[in-house]
Each structure stands twice: as structure tokens, then as C-alpha cells.
Amino acid sequence: MAKWGQGDPRWIVEERADATNVNNWHWTERDATSWSKSKLQQLLVGIAVGNEAGSCEISDLKQVEGEASCNSRKGKLIFFYDWNITLSWTGTMKESGEKHEGSVEIPNLSEENEVDDTEISVSKKKGDGEVLKELMRTEGTSKVREALRDYLKVLKTEFTLGMILPTKTSAGPELAVKKKLSENNVQDSVLPISLDTVGVKIPTVKILLKEMFDSPVEELYSIFITKELVQKFSKSRAVIEAKRGGKLQMFDGCVTGEYIELVLKPSLLINILLNIVLSLFPEHYATVALNFKDRATQTELQLECKGVPVCNEDSTRQCWQKQHFEEIRVLLQQTKVNAD
């Protein structure tokens, strides 16, 4: 077999300890199914349209069946995805305030068809409100297609980072993800798939969020460390071992991590520190610090998330705001109603 710089490039083996997939020639595959389900939830739920007759919103991802994967061969990426998606929508008539609901069916989103050619059908439960159905069939369908295009875009960009390994000829500054970064809190992290002394540099950011909750400190804290409560607000199975070194897993494995520290100082400060791993970068940790501060009748939650890959900044921020904070507020409200 030829050494580096000699012979047929298909059979070149770089002088390195493991000679792993040099020149990206061998077939590799990454399962994108769980990641895709989470991403489709983020992009589709909450889509809203309106006109003079009323307004409609995608309220739930009722069903998502199928799979997705990305494969690397000969330095090229090949995508496979096949989805059968059912969405629920709700609508309100502007003048009467009458409520209506229905479904959006996407029976075959796959690489075999362009998004513009993908069938999308809208149905409504019995009764009046055909004008809302028409609103969803026209403007709603257009926004759904836009969200599907966004899904395919991030599938082919965000999800694939790190799949094409660098070779000696490509190693260097050009390995860094090229993106204009205006934030001052950007730093480079090295994903541990190095080729000898060559690593893939990933620019990361720090996310800072502050939220107020109508809840005592201890009640809000318990939601983050109690398995049953985590499963309620995340609407998915979870593994919660709230102790130093304990495991954390949420959203069907899309987020995994480990508790570093839990500090409880009643009426003053509660702190949770943990490392999390996003499914996109299975060996790269981001560090999350949650500080709970008592503000009389409310609790102020301060979040600091460091080491988030730049390409995941928006989705990570949205995940905390939509799939954590908003859902926790719903859970707190339900608890209050049940108590009354």
C-alpha cells in the first residue's frame, strides 16, 4: 500500500497511529433520526398565519414516523430521509371568536422529491370555519414548506459538521468553520477527532438567559432534578440522576450530560452545574450553569451555557426558551390549577 504522497490516492494511508478514514474514502454513516425529530418539532410547531377572517397556528407535532441519516463516501455526503408527518392546527375566527381545529398531513417528505413537489394536505374537523381551512391550505402550507426547507438546510450543514475529516493537504486554518462572528464571547474548541496533531476547530459561544417564574425557588429547582417532572415538561423519556456525577438524558437522547455540582442554600441561592452533549457533536461538551434566585413571590432563573458550537447557537437558545422555559410555565400553571 502506498505511503502519503505516492501512488493512487484511493489507497493512500497517511503516516498516523490509526489511519482512520484518510481522504474520507471509506463509507461512514451518522443516524439523524432523533436529531431530525427534535429539529422538525422546533421548526414546525408554532407556525402562525392570519388574515382579516381569523388566525391559525400549528399547535402540535402529532406524529412523525420515518428515519434520516447522512453518509460519507469518497469525501462526499449522501443524505437519506423519509418522513410521514402529521401536524395539528387550531384556528380562531376574528369576529365570533369561534375555535376550530384540524390536521396537516405530509405523507412523503424524502430525498426523492423536492420540497415544492411534496404533498401537503389540510383537513378540518366537522363544522363551520372553512375560511380557516383555506387560510391553512394557502398561507399555512407555504410556511410549512419554508420550515421543511429550513430543516433540510440545517440537516446538510449543522448536522454534518465533523463528518468530513481533514487530510494533510487540507489541514490548517481553513478547517475552522467560516462564519463572521461579532460576539465577544466566541472561542475555538477542538473536537476530539484529531489527525495526529490536527484537530477540527469549532467556534463556540456562551449563551446567557434570564427568566422569571411565578414559583418558589424550591419548586422550580425540583422540576429540574425530578425525573417525573422533567418527563412532563419535556414530553419525552428522561434519565435524571440528580447528584454529583449523575447522568442526565432528555429528548430521546438528543441531549445527554452529567451533573457536576448541585448546591442548595435555602432562600438564598440554588445552583446546578452540568455538562451536556448535543447529539450533533457526541464528544463535545457544553457546560450549563443554572442559578435560582429568590425574588419575593417569584424566582429568577439565570442560565449560562458555555461551549455551544456556533452552528447550534440559535437552536440551543430556542430549545431552552421553547422546550424548557415555556413548557415549565405550563407545568407550573397546571400544578397551581390542580392545587386549587
Side-chain angles (χ1 to χ4, degrees):
M1 188 173 288
K3 289 186 177 181
W4 188 265
Q6 302 175 6
D8 191 330
R10 292 176 301 174
W11 308 108
I12 289 173
V13 175
E14 184 176 354
E15 291 181 342
R16 47 174 285 176
D18 56 3
T20 301
N21 205 14
V22 177
N23 280 343
N24 309 292
W25 192 258
H26 304 296
W27 181 278
T28 59
E29 179 175 344
R30 180 183 289 177
D31 185 7
T33 302
S34 294
W35 178 90
S36 292
K37 288 180 178 180
S38 177
K39 184 62 67 174
L40 287 167
Q41 170 92 15
Q42 293 174 18
L43 293 172
L44 291 168
V45 175
I47 289 177
V49 292
N51 58 21
E52 65 280 357
S55 60
C56 298
E57 180 179 351
I58 301 294
S59 56
D60 185 34
L61 180 59
K62 187 176 181 180
Q63 172 185 287
V64 54
E65 295 180 345
E67 59 183 349
S69 64
C70 179
N71 303 277
S72 172
R73 176 73 168 104
K74 300 181 183 179
K76 297 181 179 180
L77 295 174
I78 305 168
F79 297 90
F80 297 99
Y81 52 92
D82 188 3
W83 295 108
N84 180 0
I85 301 169
T86 302
L87 304 167
S88 297
W89 65 267
T90 58
T92 304
M93 299 293 292
K94 192 170 184 178
E95 291 187 2
S96 65
E98 187 177 345
K99 305 285 187 180
H100 295 276
E101 57 185 30
S103 299
V104 178
E105 303 280 347
I106 310 171
N108 185 28
L109 175 65
S110 74
E111 76 279 354
E112 296 180 355
N113 303 304
E114 296 292 335
V115 171
D116 287 343
D117 298 327
T118 299
E119 179 186 352
I120 300 178
S121 61
V122 177
S123 61
K124 185 185 69 65
K125 292 186 177 181
K126 294 181 179 179
D128 297 329
E130 286 298 319
V131 65
L132 295 179
K133 176 183 176 182
E134 183 64 16
L135 175 61
M136 281 300 302
R137 191 189 68 80
T138 53
E139 295 185 31
T141 295
S142 177
K143 286 202 171 185
V144 168
R145 290 192 193 277
E146 183 178 339
L148 296 178
R149 292 189 194 95
D150 288 342
Y151 158 66
L152 296 181
K153 180 179 178 180
V154 294
L155 173 65
K156 296 175 181 180
T157 53
E158 285 186 17
F159 184 78
T160 58
L161 283 178
M163 288 195 68
I164 299 297
L165 302 180
T167 64
K168 277 187 174 180
T169 56
S170 64
E174 63 272 21
L175 285 175
V177 177
K178 295 181 179 180
K179 181 175 181 179
K180 186 176 181 180
L181 303 172
S182 58
E183 295 82 1
N184 295 325
N185 56 357
V186 175
Q187 60 185 43
D188 281 348
S189 295
V190 178
L191 192 64
I193 53 171
S194 61
L195 303 181
D196 291 336
T197 59
V198 177
V200 179
K201 289 186 177 181
I202 298 178
T204 63
V205 297
K206 178 171 66 176
I207 294 175
L208 298 173
L209 296 173
K210 184 185 295 184
E211 298 283 334
M212 298 296 293
F213 292 86
D214 294 325
S215 164
V217 171
E218 290 78 6
E219 182 182 14
L220 184 60
Y221 172 75
S222 68
I223 290 178
F224 284 87
I225 63 170
T226 306
K227 177 180 177 180
E228 292 75 17
L229 297 177
V230 170
Q231 291 183 153
K232 280 186 177 181
F233 82 74
S234 68
K235 298 180 174 63
S236 63
R237 294 187 301 274
V239 175
I240 302 294
E241 299 174 358
K243 60 183 179 180
R244 183 189 292 269
K247 295 180 180 178
L248 170 121
Q249 182 174 312
M250 297 175 62
F251 303 114
D252 296 322
C254 290
V255 175
T256 60
E258 177 181 327
Y259 288 92
I260 302 173
E261 184 179 50
L262 294 94
V263 178
L264 174 58
K265 298 179 181 178
S267 301
L268 293 176
L269 172 67
I270 295 179
N271 174 267
I272 299 176
L273 186 64
L274 65 150
N275 282 332
I276 62 170
V277 180
L278 304 176
S279 59
L280 179 57
F281 297 102
E283 295 184 52
H284 177 78
Y285 282 86
T287 302
V288 178
L290 296 170
N291 292 318
F292 302 76
K293 294 190 175 183
D294 190 353
R295 301 297 189 198
T297 60
Q298 294 183 307
T299 297
E300 178 183 301
L301 174 58
Q302 298 175 349
L303 177 143
E304 179 184 272
C305 189
K306 297 189 294 185
V308 178
V310 168
C311 61
N312 281 105
E313 179 182 4
D314 291 341
S315 60
T316 301
R317 188 183 298 273
Q318 185 179 53
C319 179
W320 280 109
Q321 292 173 329
K322 297 286 187 181
Q323 295 176 265
H324 285 76
F325 301 153
E326 288 188 11
E327 295 299 333
I328 286 173
R329 286 192 175 92
V330 172
L331 177 59
L332 288 170
Q333 182 62 33
Q334 291 174 344
T335 302
K336 183 178 180 181
V337 170
N338 293 337
D340 294 340

